[in-house]
Amino acid sequence: MQKTKAALWEFLQGLGKTFMLPVALLAFCGIMLGIGSSLSSDAVTDNVAFLKGEGFHLVFTWMANTGLVAFTFLPVLFAMAIPLGLAREDKGVAAFSGFVGFAAMNLAVNFYLTAKGVDFEDEKAIEHYGIADVLGVQSIDTGLLGAVAVGIVVSLLHRRFRTQRMPDALAFFGGLRFVPIVSALVLSVLGLLIPLVWPTFNGWITAVGRGIGHTGVFGPFFFGMGEVLLRPIGLHHILVAMFRFTDVGGAGTVCGDHVSGALNMFYAQLDCSAAPNSAVTDATHFLSQGKMAAYLGGLPGAALAMYHCAKRRMRPEIKALLVSGVVACVVGGITEPLEFLFLFVAPWLYAIHAVLVGLGFLTAAVLGVYIGNTDGNVIDWLVFGVLQGSTTKWYLVPVIAAVWFTVYYFLFRWAITRFDLRTPGREDDPTPAEEEPEEEADAEVGEAAAGTERELVAGKYDAVAILDAIGGAGNIQSLDNCITRLRMTVQDAERVDEARLKKLGAVGVIKLDGHNVQVIIGPQVQSVKDAIATMIPVG
């Protein structure tokens, strides 16, 4: 039972992590689309005459078209990214097989509908089955859910048949070559089942979406709060993806096309000259404007409170830590470096933070702020708020952020002093017994000077020491990372030295159970993971 639970945790965390590759591309493409569509629109060019020049128009139109890459091919990107992320070896073959499986599934759907005599132009048939053009094939638009199913199936087939041996006469088709072959066969069979089950399944999803829609502004409130509460265990990506890319986050018609998912609807609207309808604006309540109250105001206020509550002599030492966390939050939309500074010392304060984030979503929805995109940072505010004109009500964001800054600052300052929370700079002075022996410190200095026995990563992270604090190479069974944290399956979580990892620069350590551990590093986690991976026999 324990092993099954550990395997499930590892799978769910790994699945959530695989979403980050296409989502990162989406964020970039969204910015390209936002800048290109806004600066080539009549509303902007009429007020800024020089932008009507042919050269400017071509450049901005090209940017908008480039931004459509991720939106147009989103399902197949997920179908490739999931097996790529879940595979431990031969990742390229896994991604290739993901594309093959996705294409085979949709061709099989087309075969079934054609054999059954379904009229692809009939509106009732289109509505019943959800018929759409998928990679040039008339198929059923299963969106993110279909892509996730393909990715999971292909990853399982890749793991099972990657080393498949064939009889001598068929040896050419064995090994890695067999993975895309079996993926095509299995997904083609599964594709025949989709027209039988999808209408019912899609009806359930639509019902959930309508139910959330009927909650009004409380839907975004519970979404925002839920995302924050799931963040410590790394499962928030799955919740977010459901709202961004399926009917759960909303569905409606944009420029004559039916679109599902809050982010899909927002991007489709960016490429549409018509004014957004209520379905689009309601769906956008689940996007980045809801985060801006906490990201641009609240968490920076909490950081200032932690700085003012630190011991005076410790403030210079924690200043860089807090400033880097604020920059990551405001500019990059990455909150973990700040959130994990108080999550472990006061979980109840983190719960209040989750409620305040939810209230930020609710407030933006009530006031009709319409900005969108994914990150909730200052770039989103500028590109999708300011550049899109006053209809986005971007001017309300600084006001909301200022209110949240004040609330967070006084709340955190009161909580830290009232309950003597050990936030950065408030730790007790070490006793002589707790201080490192002078000989050990000298030895570490000597090792750092030598530069050959310690591999420094990103300027300050000691990969060798971090690996040792995790329990050594022998303790690691699998190693991966997301945006800010190392994700590991270990033989024994008790061998992970949390105190030492924090001294080595980790923000925090989460032990989900006896085998699944996460070490929060920060934005430089990819470099740390890559360095550790070179020292352990992990695929």
Side-chain angles (χ1 to χ4, degrees):
M1 182 66 180
Q2 186 69 20
K3 290 184 178 180
T4 302
K5 181 180 177 182
L8 179 62
W9 269 116
E10 181 182 358
F11 170 76
L12 290 176
Q13 292 178 66
L15 180 63
K17 184 268 302 180
T18 64
F19 292 171
M20 289 299 95
L21 187 59
V23 166
L25 178 62
L26 268 173
F28 169 77
C29 287
I31 292 173
M32 292 283 284
L33 180 59
I35 295 175
S37 62
S38 64
L39 295 183
S40 61
S41 67
D42 293 337
V44 173
T45 55
D46 287 345
N47 294 322
V48 187
F50 73 88
L51 292 179
K52 290 186 176 181
E54 183 177 357
F56 286 108
H57 180 74
L58 288 174
V59 169
F60 295 133
T61 303
W62 165 80
M63 291 179 67
N65 287 339
T66 302
L68 289 173
V69 169
F71 170 69
T72 304
F73 300 104
L74 185 65
V76 71
L77 293 178
F78 272 97
M80 297 174 67
I82 290 173
L84 171 69
L86 292 178
R88 297 182 180 179
E89 297 179 278
D90 302 309
K91 290 177 175 287
V93 175
F96 175 72
S97 302
F99 175 84
V100 171
F102 185 80
M105 180 187 74
N106 284 283
L107 286 169
V109 171
N110 177 271
F111 167 79
Y112 179 96
L113 296 176
T114 302
K116 194 176 178 180
V118 174
D119 183 0
F120 293 122
E121 302 297 327
D122 181 62
E123 291 186 3
K124 291 184 178 179
I126 292 174
E127 182 179 356
H128 175 71
Y129 287 107
I131 296 173
D133 185 290
V134 181
L135 295 181
V137 177
Q138 288 297 307
S139 180
I140 293 177
D141 183 12
T142 57
L144 174 71
L145 297 179
V148 169
V150 170
I152 292 174
V153 170
V154 169
S155 66
L156 293 174
L157 294 173
H158 178 270
R159 184 175 300 181
R160 169 64 179 82
F161 295 106
R162 185 178 59 82
T163 57
Q164 178 70 27
R165 296 186 64 179
M166 304 290 285
D168 290 346
L170 301 174
F172 175 77
F173 300 104
L176 292 176
R177 298 186 186 96
F178 189 66
V179 178
I181 294 173
V182 72
S183 297
L185 290 172
V186 172
L187 268 303
S188 184
V189 172
L190 292 179
L192 297 177
L193 302 177
I194 288 178
L196 301 176
V197 301
W198 180 254
T200 300
F201 188 69
N202 190 48
W204 295 343
I205 299 172
T206 302
V208 172
R210 289 174 178 170
I212 293 173
H214 289 156
T215 63
V217 293
F218 289 101
F221 167 77
F222 288 115
F223 166 76
M225 183 173 64
E227 181 186 355
V228 176
L229 292 176
L230 286 174
R231 192 172 291 150
I233 57 177
L235 298 183
H236 57 297
H237 300 309
I238 297 176
L239 173 70
V240 169
M242 289 292 292
F243 277 83
R244 287 178 179 174
F245 307 119
T246 75
D247 283 3
V248 172
T253 301
V254 183
C255 274
D257 296 325
H258 181 79
V259 185
S260 300
L263 190 60
N264 288 339
M265 295 177 71
F266 174 71
Y267 284 160
Q269 184 62 50
L270 279 179
D271 194 45
C272 178
S273 58
N277 55 41
S278 60
V280 174
T281 54
D282 289 346
T284 309
H285 293 162
F286 297 103
L287 299 180
S288 69
Q289 68 259 26
K291 302 176 180 179
M292 290 179 181
Y295 286 23
L296 302 185
L299 286 173
L304 183 61
M306 286 187 275
Y307 177 79
H308 285 161
C309 290
K311 298 175 182 178
R312 288 188 176 275
R313 58 181 180 77
M314 294 294 293
R315 289 179 183 176
E317 296 185 22
I318 67 167
K319 184 177 181 179
L321 172 67
L322 294 174
V323 169
S324 63
V326 170
V327 171
C329 180
V330 173
V331 179
I334 300 173
T335 59
E336 283 95 331
L338 289 178
E339 290 173 332
F340 284 89
L341 293 179
F342 59 90
L343 167 63
F344 302 103
V345 298
W348 60 269
L349 190 57
Y350 186 83
I352 294 175
H353 162 60
V355 173
L356 289 171
V357 171
L359 288 174
F361 275 84
L362 185 149
T363 302
V366 169
L367 296 178
V369 180
Y370 172 67
I371 294 178
N373 209 43
T374 60
D375 297 320
N377 54 29
V378 70
I379 297 175
D380 280 358
W381 178 69
L382 289 170
V383 173
F384 302 102
V386 177
L387 286 182
Q388 305 302 321
S390 60
T391 56
T392 64
K393 297 187 178 180
W394 58 265
Y395 48 83
L396 294 178
V397 171
V399 179
I400 300 171
V403 173
W404 257 248
F405 180 93
T406 303
V407 170
Y408 270 73
Y409 176 79
F410 287 106
L411 171 65
F412 272 71
R413 188 156 189 173
W414 169 80
I416 291 170
T417 55
R418 174 66 176 81
F419 300 101
D420 194 23
L421 301 180
R422 293 297 190 264
T423 49
R426 291 179 59 83
E427 301 87 350
D428 293 331
D429 294 332
T431 62
E434 292 174 332
E435 294 177 348
E436 295 184 5
E438 185 175 348
E439 295 82 356
E440 184 177 333
D442 291 341
E444 290 184 357
V445 173
E447 287 179 352
T452 57
E453 299 179 23
R454 297 285 192 188
E455 181 179 352
L456 294 180
V457 181
K460 65 176 182 177
Y461 295 106
D462 190 331
V464 175
I466 290 175
L467 176 60
D468 185 58
I470 291 170
N475 194 37
I476 299 179
Q477 295 178 325
S478 69
L479 173 68
D480 217 320
N481 70 279
C482 63
I483 297 177
T484 59
R485 66 187 84 178
L486 296 173
R487 297 170 180 259
M488 297 169 290
T489 302
V490 298
Q491 290 185 357
D492 184 5
E494 294 302 318
R495 293 170 58 184
V496 178
D497 190 339
E498 181 175 350
R500 188 179 178 199
L501 284 169
K502 288 184 177 180
K503 288 183 179 180
L504 292 169
V507 177
V509 178
I510 301 175
K511 296 180 180 179
L512 296 170
D513 53 37
H515 299 282
N516 286 283
V517 177
Q518 298 177 1
V519 180
I520 298 87
I521 298 294
Q524 297 297 334
V525 66
Q526 182 69 54
S527 299
V528 177
K529 180 259 182 181
D530 291 343
I532 293 177
T534 63
M535 297 181 281
I536 59 176
V538 177

